[in-house]
Amino acid sequence: MSKVCLCRGVTEEKIIKVVKAGATTFQDVKEETGAGTGGCNGDRCRYKIESLIKDNK
């Protein structure tokens, strides 16, 4: 499992799962998984999360 959000340990698989369940924005993913809520406030993972949203709609 590859981690996308290192601060919170959220994996790519978990993000794809919530996107497939209806998350359509970074904020949606953040609320559902906690990704982007760590010490960096999403500075490190936001681009990857947004890319996963786009690729898995």
Side-chain angles (χ1 to χ4, degrees):
M1 284 191 249
S2 70
K3 291 185 181 164
V4 174
C5 176
L6 299 177
C7 296
R8 296 288 182 214
V10 181
T11 64
E12 184 173 320
E13 291 80 6
K14 182 162 185 147
I15 293 169
I16 291 170
K17 183 178 178 181
V18 299
V19 169
K20 295 212 179 264
T24 60
T25 66
F26 174 73
Q27 188 65 35
D28 291 343
V29 171
K30 188 175 176 178
E31 290 172 10
E32 291 292 321
T33 66
T37 63
C40 79
N41 282 329
D43 289 343
R44 292 188 210 157
C45 61
R46 183 179 191 117
Y47 175 78
K48 179 65 175 172
I49 292 170
E50 289 174 343
S51 178
L52 288 169
I53 293 168
K54 181 181 173 193
D55 293 345
N56 291 282
K57 282 186 182 178

